[in-house]
Amino acid sequence: MNRPPSMIRRIIGYVFAVVFIIAGWWITALLVNSPALPTPAATVGVLAQNAPTLVPYFWTSAYRVIVSLVIGTALAVPIAHIFARSRTLDALFAPVLYLLYPIPKVVLLPILLVLLGLADAPKIALISLTVFFQVLVAVRDSVKIVPESAVLSIRSLGGSRWDEYLHVVIPATMPAVFTSLRIGVGTAIAVLFIAEAMAGSTGLGYFIMQSWSMVNYPRMFAGIIALALLGVVLYAIFDVIERRLTRWRS
Amino acid sequence: MDERNINDILFEDVNLTYDGDDGSLVAVHDLSFEVAAGESVAFIGPSGCGKSTTLHMVAGLLKPSEGRVLVGGAPVDQPRRGTAFIPQDLGLFPWKTVLQNAALGLTIRRVSESEARTRAIEALEKVGLAGFERAYPKELSGGMRQRLALARALAMDADILLMDEPLSAIDALLRESLQDTLLDLWLERRHTQMLVTHSIGEAVYLGRRILVFSERPGTVIAVIDNPDVGMAGYRASAEFSAKCQEVRIALANGSPIEVLDGDAGDEGAEVVR
Ligand SMILES: Nc1ncnc2c1ncn2[C@@H]1O[C@H](COP(=O)(O)OP(=O)(O)O)[C@@H](O)[C@H]1O
Ligand SMILES: [Mg+2]
């Protein structure tokens, strides 16, 4: 209801956070005093200088991570609903899920490289797999807290299964999708970095490690900033969507 | 067409057995009663005796295991258009606004959006929620949420209203004013009404007849006629107190339950297992 004041407060909060981070970065850079960690002021120049070479690598990485987020989610959501719907399936697969979920999927990278080559496919497969498990677990849990009386309301109104989904199940579980995506972005970017650093000659992961081996630290740092930016932007997008979907909770 | 009204309710020797993982459970047994068209009947009985189950059968959410449940002379084999059901915890949708909640019955029934909106706004006005259209249920008080559930039923223009302990979560003072709202609506609209309650005072204030249930498996053990319902000042009258006493005795006879007296005379009297 009182949107303007809370909005202003949030903006002030973000400004503070940015100032704090930049100050911390600056102090650390001065203390470390290494070309591997330029000060924020030097970074602006470094970024501008490396932007033309950097941009294609950035888009490759962005493409991989976004496609993976979409694939992982698109597979996880329906499967989570099927599990939640059928007690037998859930009883059967819950232990499987329980055992597979904590395995860091990134260890499968060598296998995927053997099977899928060095281009986009193994990276997308790996990140999709990571995202898939995160979304699956979150959505499966959220289906269990769908309010029973709301389902009764829909049924007593003569609503169909589809109405149940449209009016109850989807609105009750969508926030969990975006929460798990928001939380999962960090892991997804980390997996992306490892996959690109290890294999192939595209993407920011490769760009960063190549700069490192060339001992071109400003270029390396520009790549790191770009990868961080990718993570922050995706996180912010999911955060905004999640807030919109859960406005009724506040 | 028929000599029956389209909105009377008839139970004929109904049994309902739940089949669960750990065996079956008979919820109601040998249940027979009638609610005439335009009548308001209150159902009272110990908790777990099958009152909600009974309402669910009228709403078309459950089918009797044996016997028949007829509405307007026809077996209920699916939810009926003119029946509005308010479930035990209201069945509101936390992610929908007040207006969307009130319009939901119409939305599901594919009434056009503009008509649904108009009728929902009218219904909200009727229950005193005008101006809250854009709020979410969480922003409402308990009493307002109750009114919202009622508005949804009104917007559907239901001729049968089923309510499962609608005021149980409401504090005593507010409860009386909501009871008045329910009574006024019924006196004005004369829909067929089934009200499940665990408050003796509420049953007597709102039920033209009061059906007392036994312990599970639930069946009707007493039918108490209550012709003074709707009389001005009924709640404060000697007749009202006498009627409450009658219900209390029927409950106590039917099953080994404890009856507690509330502080405000018969008003707060509740049945406890
Ligand atoms: N879906 C169900 N499956 C199995 N047992 C149920 C189910 N719903 C209710 N019961 C049982 O049936 C009995 C009657 O329940 P209910 O109709 O909710 O009683 P009341 O509304 O009078 O408290 C209770 O013992 C309850 O535990
Ligand atoms: Mg009940």
Side-chain angles (χ1 to χ4, degrees):
Chain A
M1 299 277 110
N2 50 350
R3 201 146 292 136
S6 76
M7 190 77 159
I8 289 167
R9 203 180 301 163
R10 252 171 66 197
I11 291 171
I12 293 174
Y14 281 126
V15 169
F16 256 105
V18 168
V19 169
F20 187 80
I21 290 170
I22 290 180
W25 172 5
W26 213 307
I27 293 166
T28 314
L30 291 175
L31 291 177
V32 171
N33 191 23
S34 153
L37 183 60
T39 61
T43 301
V44 176
V46 164
L47 267 181
Q49 197 188 330
N50 288 289
T53 34
L54 189 63
V55 165
Y57 290 90
F58 178 86
W59 286 124
T60 305
S61 289
Y63 162 78
R64 285 173 180 160
V65 81
I66 290 168
V67 168
S68 305
L69 289 168
V70 171
I71 293 178
T73 309
L75 291 175
V77 170
I79 293 179
H81 281 289
I82 293 169
F83 276 7
R85 198 101 232 176
S86 152
R87 229 182 258 176
T88 338
L89 275 181
D90 198 59
L92 217 58
F93 283 102
V96 177
L97 200 61
Y98 189 83
L99 288 178
L100 291 184
Y101 179 61
I103 295 177
K105 312 302 171 292
V106 71
V107 301
L108 301 175
L109 179 61
I111 303 175
L112 292 173
L113 291 176
V114 172
L115 295 178
L116 299 174
L118 297 178
D120 287 342
K123 287 137 198 160
I124 289 176
L126 189 64
I127 306 167
S128 300
L129 200 62
T130 310
V131 171
F132 172 81
F133 275 95
Q134 265 158 352
V135 175
L136 182 66
V137 168
V139 174
R140 175 176 164 269
D141 291 345
S142 74
V143 177
K144 298 202 165 145
I145 54 158
V146 165
E148 188 57 35
S149 73
V151 175
L152 276 186
S153 284
I154 292 278
R155 289 202 192 136
S156 76
L157 293 165
S160 60
R161 263 279 160 88
W162 167 241
D163 287 314
E164 268 174 52
Y165 270 89
L166 188 66
H167 295 286
V168 188
V169 180
I170 294 175
T173 57
M174 276 302 261
V177 173
F178 285 94
T179 310
S180 60
L181 284 176
R182 177 172 60 78
I183 294 167
V185 160
T187 319
I189 299 273
V191 171
L192 173 82
F193 172 73
I194 294 172
E196 288 178 343
M198 269 186 69
S201 55
T202 50
L204 287 171
Y206 171 77
F207 182 93
I208 293 166
M209 294 317 282
Q210 188 207 25
S211 310
W212 173 71
S213 63
M214 293 178 347
V215 206
N216 187 344
Y217 292 143
R219 189 174 185 267
M220 175 181 92
F221 197 72
I224 291 172
I225 292 287
L227 197 59
L229 198 68
L230 181 58
V232 169
V233 168
L234 289 173
Y235 185 94
I237 291 173
F238 292 136
D239 189 47
V240 166
I241 299 176
E242 186 190 350
R243 274 173 209 268
R244 294 225 146 198
L245 289 176
T246 56
R247 204 175 281 160
W248 51 272
R249 267 189 209 156
S250 54
Chain B
M1 314 191 288
D2 203 291
E3 78 271 31
R4 301 197 72 94
N5 273 297
I6 57 155
N7 59 340
D8 60 355
I9 300 163
L10 184 63
F11 273 59
E12 288 179 348
D13 306 315
V14 169
N15 278 22
L16 189 125
T17 306
Y18 285 110
D19 293 309
D21 293 336
D22 29 52
S24 58
L25 180 144
V26 183
V28 300
H29 166 73
D30 258 346
L31 188 57
S32 297
F33 63 84
E34 180 171 7
V35 180
E39 189 184 21
S40 169
V41 174
F43 293 74
I44 193 164
S47 85
C49 72
K51 303 180 298 294
S52 297
T53 303
T54 303
L55 277 193
H56 288 191
M57 286 190 277
V58 184
L61 296 167
L62 274 178
K63 287 199 184 94
S65 313
E66 283 171 51
R68 299 203 297 169
V69 176
L70 305 173
V71 169
V76 186
D77 45 18
Q78 63 187 38
R80 173 181 168 277
R81 235 189 142 69
T83 302
F85 168 58
I86 304 181
Q88 192 145 5
D89 45 9
L90 303 182
L92 297 177
F93 295 66
W95 42 82
K96 289 183 186 289
T97 62
V98 166
L99 183 62
Q100 289 168 335
N101 266 289
L104 185 77
L106 303 167
T107 311
I108 298 272
R109 280 153 192 198
R110 311 281 182 264
V111 169
S112 80
E113 199 175 316
S114 61
E115 192 192 337
R117 201 187 146 80
T118 316
R119 281 166 65 179
I121 288 175
E122 266 173 34
L124 287 171
E125 268 167 22
K126 204 159 194 163
V127 299
L129 280 180
F132 289 92
E133 287 82 1
R134 297 178 60 176
Y136 287 99
K138 192 155 195 182
E139 298 168 293
L140 304 182
S141 68
M144 288 159 89
R145 278 203 278 269
Q146 179 53 53
R147 289 175 188 278
L148 173 55
L150 207 52
R152 179 152 86 203
L154 291 179
M156 287 161 56
D157 202 22
D159 59 3
I160 296 182
L161 181 54
L162 311 172
M163 291 179 283
D164 197 349
E165 306 196 6
L167 307 183
S168 56
I170 310 272
D171 60 77
L173 278 178
L174 192 58
R175 201 187 294 182
E176 289 196 1
S177 104
L178 282 164
Q179 286 168 357
D180 288 335
T181 305
L182 287 178
L183 182 65
D184 292 345
L185 282 172
W186 178 68
L187 289 172
E188 179 198 327
R189 302 178 75 244
R190 292 289 175 174
H191 47 260
T192 306
Q193 180 158 290
M194 282 175 74
L195 169 81
V196 167
T197 177
H198 59 250
S199 153
I200 293 175
E202 194 161 292
V204 174
Y205 195 61
L206 294 172
R208 172 63 186 72
R209 275 189 308 146
I210 299 147
L211 267 52
V212 180
F213 270 50
S214 67
E215 291 259 26
R216 187 176 64 80
T219 195
V220 177
I221 50 168
V223 178
I224 295 166
D225 215 29
N226 184 26
D228 292 331
V229 152
M231 188 180 83
Y234 188 35
R235 194 152 28 211
S237 70
E239 290 89 336
F240 182 81
S241 303
K243 199 56 80 175
C244 287
Q245 191 57 27
E246 201 179 329
V247 174
R248 184 173 294 115
I249 290 165
L251 275 164
N253 285 343
S255 44
I257 52 173
E258 202 185 324
V259 176
L260 297 181
D261 270 302
D263 44 349
D266 296 314
E267 275 303 288
E270 313 237 324
V271 183
V272 175
R273 213 129 113 90

